Every structure is written in structure tokens, then in C-alpha cells.
Amino acid sequence: RQASEVNPQLFALHGLTNGASYYCGLGGLLYEWNDLDASEAHLRQGQEMIRRGLQTHGDVVTSGYITLARLQQTRGDGEAALATLHELQTLAHERSYAPYLQARANAAL
């Protein structure tokens, strides 16, 4: 968050603080801190960017989707968690993620 406030006009910081990696990473951190509402908001922002075709590392996508599924399960919404994991599995296949990431997506189910 502090990096985004330094100078949001700098291109390098813009990429770091306004991309799917930023939102998924911060969402994961907020999940660990048990700030579930903020975590979900960040994870969904990252997920939306990924859906729109923003390219980011497959491991970031995988971690973000798995964290969102864990959050949904924590809140007692197992159906939503499964839907999130199915979406991850589809993305991993469609975008030809590395075999270990596809296996991780499959194992999460």
C-alpha cells in the first residue's frame, strides 16, 4: 500500500500496485490477518482483472483463487468455494499453466 502512495505516476509502481498480482497478494495477506472483508474485496478485484484477460504469473492466479476458495469455505459457502476452484481449473487448462500449477488446481478440488 505504501508503494502505491509514493508516486502512483511512476510506471513501474503502477504495474506493481494496480495489477492482479498486487490484488491477489494483498488479498492473501489480509486473509492471513483475518481481515476477511478486505481480503475478499482485493481477491475479487484480482480475479476480475484475470477474467478480463490481464496476464499475470500462473502461480499468482493459482494462489489467489485458492485463497478466495478458502475464504468462501471459512464463511460456510462451500458451493462458492467449489465454483471458484472449478474456474481455476478451467483457467489453468485454457492458459496452459505449467503442469505443477494444473496439478495444484486439480488437487485443490
Side-chain angles (χ1 to χ4, degrees), residues 39-78:
S39 173
E40 183 173 12
H42 282 82
L43 290 167
R44 290 200 180 278
Q45 178 68 30
Q47 187 182 46
E48 184 57 34
M49 294 173 129
I50 293 162
R51 281 185 187 135
R52 288 193 319 244
L54 181 69
Q55 294 298 316
T56 190
H57 296 284
D59 57 338
V60 171
V61 175
T62 303
S63 293
Y65 270 78
I66 289 173
T67 301
L68 180 57
R70 287 180 179 153
L71 187 149
Q72 292 164 327
Q73 185 65 37
T74 298
R75 290 188 163 165
D77 195 352

